[in-house]
Amino acid sequence: MADFITKKETDYSQWYLDIVLKAELADYSPIKGSMVIRPRGYAIWESMQSHLDTLFKDTGHQNAYFPLLIPEAFIAKEAEHVEGFSPELAVVTHAGGAPLETPYVIRPTSETIIWSMYKKWIQSYRDLPLLINQWANVVRWEKRTRLFLRTSEFLWQEGHTAHESKQEAVEETLRILDIYRRFLEDYLAIPVQQGRKTKLEKFAGAVDTYCVEALMQDGKALQMGTSHFLGQNFAKAFDVRFQTRQKELEYVWATSWGVSTRMIGGLIMTHSDNKGLVVPPRVAPTQVVIVPIVNSENKREVLTEAHKLYDQLSPHYRTVLDDDDTSSPGFKFSEWELRGSCLRIELGPRDIAKASAMLVRRDSGVKTSVPLIHLSKEIQTHLDSMHHDMYHKAKTFVDQHTHRAHSYDEFKQLCAQPISGYIIADWDGSDTVETQIKEDTMATVRVVNSIDPHDTKKPARCIVSGRPATARGIFAKSY
Amino acid sequence: MADFITKKETDYSQWYLDIVLKAELADYSPIKGSMVIRPRGYAIWESMQSHLDTLFKDTGHQNAYFPLLIPEAFIAKEAEHVEGFSPELAVVTHAGGAPLETPYVIRPTSETIIWSMYKKWIQSYRDLPLLINQWANVVRWEKRTRLFLRTSEFLWQEGHTAHESKQEAVEETLRILDIYRRFLEDYLAIPVQQGRKTKLEKFAGAVDTYCVEALMQDGKALQMGTSHFLGQNFAKAFDVRFQTRQKELEYVWATSWGVSTRMIGGLIMTHSDNKGLVVPPRVAPTQVVIVPIVNSENKREVLTEAHKLYDQLSPHYRTVLDDDDTSSPGFKFSEWELRGSCLRIELGPRDIAKASAMLVRRDSGVKTSVPLIHLSKEIQTHLDSMHHDMYHKAKTFVDQHTHRAHSYDEFKQLCAQPISGYIIADWDGSDTVETQIKEDTMATVRVVNSIDPHDTKKPARCIVSGRPATARGIFAKSY
């Protein structure tokens, strides 16, 4: 695998695609805009699923499965929802050899089909809260696609919860946002910005959309997950009312939330380098690769030791022994750097003579000779350090690429930087200014936070209109 | 939940549907022929997935994900495949607001899309074997559907492997068949018949289809899983050749295999009774339910003990504490019998005074008073016994409903029994006889096995044609 990876400084997009394709994470498919997730990529998704599923279940959520196909008329029941999703729908018009009486759309998201079922299942406050999650594929027909980041079909989880009060639903929305943040930081080593979306950027059908955003190495933001407070919008669209504790009829309060295989793209772009993929240890499919250093004389002895080591480590770590005898150690080093094994253990005759092995970290390249008797314990220490170092490296990058703009000129100058990053600016909260900034600079509001009145001596002003500012936005160019 | 369940002796079909709907395993959806899998049903599927996934990975298989949509032309590339699947296809003709240039079908199975990718990935014997599995949804437009057993959309796993020799592919086909048999017996407590399908019953595109079949309590067989030896059919259809060790170009050998959410239907119909669902302990979402027996005087004391017990058991068993104070113990007993909790623990003031609890088995109804200090260990013993007893009860049922037919008259008499079961008969292996038997009796060949020449003194004869028999079939009416 002397496969060439484009340098990220030369062509960031091509660098990303080279890693995805050459590390065999995903491949293009014959279907426009759809990808194939290959075993090395899918293993990262399985690892993400497993951790997230535990976090959801620990907070009382249960999994279920709803149909892939949705009657076209359902989508139209919520006014904003149909406007947002219509342009992206794939439509089934024929089935079983005949035209369908009413067409079905492939789910772009499942609020409508799920709320049509909730109408059957929810009668009383005793049926609430209903906390359901679904792991599924969805289809949104996209014009411009990119492996993992934007594809016409993707895999995700979508939570859909029903509550008896507004407060409880808002709390759920924020609880999930916090789960996403913790997951991204604690498992993917990705620092995030969290906050609310503007009206122009929110989910079609939500009252409020909250999200977690991450900053990629090219200074663009990537939305990693969203959590929506839906108010009573879908309950009204599907007439889902319940008997309250006061024996009155009220519409149910709702949330929905999701993360997708897009996170794999975010993980690659946050951590990888010009040698290839770097994966945080807690979700890495290969945490340890053992590379025996052999020649014809010592081959048997070294391989015996390497197999012993494999047997010792594999119950504790996701371990591979690369004993392929048709390629050189140097070739294997490059190959496993490309594939993103967290640690490499080199084991040769000199190491064996010293009862030690050479341990090499993927993120830093640092080599440490470790006595074999301490190796298993040392590996855990190195994996933990690697997670923390990766997080802090990413956090430092974000801090270095986050700037405050006090005027629109300053804002535009920051946007013109090669790695523009996050730009924090106060604005009057109007759609007009938001749209103007987007048109002028390509930057959008990633999240909105409220203005801390202690943060500034004079009242905040909109950098564009000069009117009193009502919101502090984190702006960025984005994927 | 005084919900009425139809007795299975009165109306077997309705008994089955009552359990599925009233135990909240699944529900009808607004989409013709598609079901919603509710949390109690989905939890069984998750448990099945988890065990099967381990069995697949332990034998070297990796998971991946291929597109939902397949270009319509792909299906036509394998002649038998298109003939078999065309009548069941759902077709996407519009997407992104415009008609598609070439329509896509929703995957009914993924051989074609996967082999179109294998063409890119396989060049040499070094790329083989390729052992890939996919967990996915598929759509086959069905005219007559029944929850879990036959639905237009279902969830399944589909394995697709590529090999350098015929022998290796045949071995893989049979290895998987054996994994299915072990899974059904060791986890679902379902005894199975395994063997080959006839030409008329095999998968469209396979050289040989092997399957595992189970006998339901109404005497009908249910196909629980299939494993196909595909020969070089799909390699030829997609022109997938590899360089052999002898540096020649040869078509790749293939297998595919799958089990689906249909197994949940088979599990229900094999084990359940007139009180509701009975689930084998190794896949049961609820292994233990604790029901406190309280009145107003002792409520606090009993609930305290019940919570202690829950804390003690829940790390080891999938445990629920039903402390809802709006329904009576008797009501809860019925409810958890309907829902299929394996064991019920009744804990009242008299039990607490004796430092014991009453343990009740779902399958047999047998009650045992167990000292609290032994309870956790006893539960494991009871769950293990329950698994074995359920398996043997089902096995006895199969044995009692398996008959040998020595003549066609005898065959027809057996078919006319209320619970006809398996009928073993020799036949000449011809399509004509197989078709005649099906038309006369509704019975089909579930599996074919070869005839043991030591089994009979005179040469075997076809029960219909009188010609020399070439095969021994296990016939049954089926779902």
Side-chain angles (χ1 to χ4, degrees), chain B residues 49-201:
Chain B
Q49 281 189 298
S50 154
H51 294 300
L52 277 169
D53 203 64
T54 302
L55 293 169
F56 297 149
K57 285 179 177 156
D58 285 350
T59 44
H61 301 85
Q62 294 179 297
N63 290 328
Y65 188 76
F66 295 85
L68 171 75
L69 301 178
I70 300 179
E72 201 171 29
F74 278 22
I75 303 287
K77 290 200 179 198
E78 211 290 328
E80 284 189 12
H81 198 66
V82 65
E83 198 183 320
F85 284 103
S86 278
E88 298 181 351
L89 296 175
V91 190
V92 178
T93 55
H94 290 68
L100 287 168
E101 281 177 31
T102 54
Y104 293 119
V105 303
I106 299 180
R107 62 180 162 224
T109 178
S110 300
E111 279 78 4
T112 56
I113 180 73
I114 288 179
W115 279 87
S116 80
M117 298 308 298
Y118 282 6
K119 172 150 182 73
K120 290 175 74 171
W121 300 343
I122 298 172
Q123 275 90 42
S124 145
Y125 70 90
R126 289 172 184 282
D127 302 318
L128 300 172
L130 188 54
L131 307 174
I132 289 186
N133 177 58
Q134 166 169 273
W135 292 98
N137 54 342
V138 289
V139 171
R140 298 177 184 177
W141 217 255
E142 297 281 358
K143 287 203 176 61
R144 285 169 25 173
T145 57
R146 196 177 323 205
L147 295 170
F148 288 120
L149 299 176
R150 190 177 297 278
T151 48
S152 288
E153 181 188 6
F154 56 88
L155 304 182
W156 78 344
Q157 61 69 217
E158 46 179 326
H160 295 272
T161 69
H163 304 267
E164 58 179 305
S165 73
K166 176 179 176 177
Q167 187 192 335
E168 199 184 291
V170 170
E171 281 168 7
E172 167 79 0
T173 311
L174 297 175
R175 179 181 305 117
I176 296 296
L177 190 70
D178 196 57
I179 285 177
Y180 288 160
R181 181 193 57 74
R182 274 162 44 208
F183 172 71
L184 285 159
E185 295 183 350
D186 296 350
Y187 292 91
L188 308 191
I190 298 178
V192 295
Q193 290 289 349
Q194 66 187 65
R196 200 166 42 79
K197 285 285 182 199
T198 63
K199 189 156 59 78
L200 295 180
E201 299 280 336

Side-chain angles (χ1 to χ4, degrees), chain A residues 27-32 34-40 42-43 46 53 57 62-71 74 86-97 100 104 106-107 113 116-117 120-121 126 132 135 137 139 141 143 153-155 324 326, chain B residues 27-32 34-40 42-43 46 53 57 62-71 74 86-97 100 104 106-107 113 116-117 120-121 126 132 135 137 139 141 143 153-155 324 326:
Chain A
D27 202 350
Y28 295 107
S29 86
I31 294 88
K32 189 183 156 302
S34 281
M35 67 178 162
V36 173
I37 307 179
R38 300 186 71 172
R40 290 182 196 286
Y42 198 82
E46 285 181 295
D53 203 64
K57 284 180 176 154
Q62 295 179 296
N63 290 329
Y65 187 77
F66 295 85
L68 171 74
L69 301 177
I70 299 179
F74 278 22
S86 279
E88 299 181 351
L89 297 175
V91 190
V92 178
T93 55
H94 290 68
L100 288 167
Y104 292 119
I106 299 180
R107 61 180 163 225
I113 181 72
S116 80
M117 298 307 298
K120 290 175 74 173
W121 300 344
R126 289 172 183 281
I132 289 186
W135 291 98
N137 54 343
V139 171
W141 217 254
K143 287 204 175 59
E153 182 189 5
F154 56 89
L155 303 183
D324 175 7
T326 65
Chain B
D27 203 348
Y28 295 108
S29 85
I31 295 90
K32 192 182 156 297
S34 281
M35 67 178 161
V36 173
I37 307 180
R38 300 186 71 172
R40 291 182 196 286
Y42 198 82
E46 285 181 293
D53 203 64
K57 285 179 177 156
Q62 294 179 297
N63 290 328
Y65 188 76
F66 295 85
L68 171 75
L69 301 178
I70 300 179
F74 278 22
S86 278
E88 298 181 351
L89 296 175
V91 190
V92 178
T93 55
H94 290 68
L100 287 168
Y104 293 119
I106 299 180
R107 62 180 162 224
I113 180 73
S116 80
M117 298 308 298
K120 290 175 74 171
W121 300 343
R126 289 172 184 282
I132 289 186
W135 292 98
N137 54 342
V139 171
W141 217 255
K143 287 203 176 61
E153 181 188 6
F154 56 88
L155 304 182
D324 175 7
T326 65

Side-chain angles (χ1 to χ4, degrees), chain A residues 355-417:
Chain A
S356 70
M358 192 61 80
L359 195 146
V360 188
R361 253 173 68 170
R362 173 65 184 89
D363 60 327
S364 62
V366 170
K367 295 185 173 199
T368 319
S369 177
V370 178
L372 288 172
I373 50 161
H374 297 149
L375 192 58
S376 185
K377 214 175 124 196
E378 282 279 310
I379 287 172
Q380 189 59 58
T381 310
H382 280 269
L383 292 176
D384 287 341
S385 305
M386 182 167 164
H387 173 85
H388 291 291
D389 292 352
M390 286 175 71
Y391 177 80
H392 286 292
K393 187 177 171 193
K395 182 74 170 65
T396 303
F397 177 85
V398 174
D399 292 345
Q400 286 170 345
H401 295 89
T402 302
H403 301 285
R404 181 77 192 269
H406 297 88
S407 70
Y408 198 32
D409 276 348
E410 198 178 350
F411 190 101
K412 285 189 275 195
Q413 276 165 21
L414 287 166
C415 278
Q417 300 289 317

Side-chain angles (χ1 to χ4, degrees), chain A residues 240-402:
Chain A
V240 187
R241 283 180 286 184
F242 71 106
Q243 195 180 49
T244 67
R245 289 167 201 265
Q246 292 75 38
K247 309 229 180 268
E248 286 162 1
L249 268 187
E250 200 191 329
Y251 287 110
V252 176
W253 297 88
T255 84
S256 69
W257 29 276
V259 293
S260 76
T261 38
R262 165 176 254 213
M263 285 193 301
I264 300 174
L267 178 152
I268 298 165
M269 291 207 300
T270 301
H271 298 301
S272 297
D273 60 23
N274 287 336
K275 292 178 180 174
L277 184 65
V278 184
V279 194
R282 292 171 193 166
V283 294
T286 308
Q287 295 176 308
V288 178
V289 60
I290 302 168
V291 180
I293 317 288
V294 298
N295 61 35
S296 52
E297 283 169 31
N298 57 36
K299 187 173 167 184
R300 210 172 58 182
E301 183 204 353
V302 172
L303 284 183
T304 304
E305 289 300 315
H307 277 280
K308 268 195 217 162
L309 196 54
Y310 175 81
D311 291 342
Q312 186 198 336
L313 299 180
S314 59
H316 308 292
Y317 306 104
R318 295 184 286 275
T319 308
V320 171
L321 167 59
D322 187 349
D323 58 0
D324 175 7
D325 59 4
T326 65
S327 52
S328 70
F331 181 91
K332 290 178 186 180
F333 294 173
S334 305
E335 187 164 68
W336 287 102
E337 281 169 350
L338 169 60
R339 291 175 180 171
S341 171
C342 301
L343 300 175
R344 178 173 84 227
I345 294 176
E346 303 172 11
L347 190 72
R350 275 180 296 181
D351 302 298
I352 293 170
K354 290 191 295 175
S356 70
M358 192 61 80
L359 195 146
V360 188
R361 253 173 68 170
R362 173 65 184 89
D363 60 327
S364 62
V366 170
K367 295 185 173 199
T368 319
S369 177
V370 178
L372 288 172
I373 50 161
H374 297 149
L375 192 58
S376 185
K377 214 175 124 196
E378 282 279 310
I379 287 172
Q380 189 59 58
T381 310
H382 280 269
L383 292 176
D384 287 341
S385 305
M386 182 167 164
H387 173 85
H388 291 291
D389 292 352
M390 286 175 71
Y391 177 80
H392 286 292
K393 187 177 171 193
K395 182 74 170 65
T396 303
F397 177 85
V398 174
D399 292 345
Q400 286 170 345
H401 295 89
T402 302

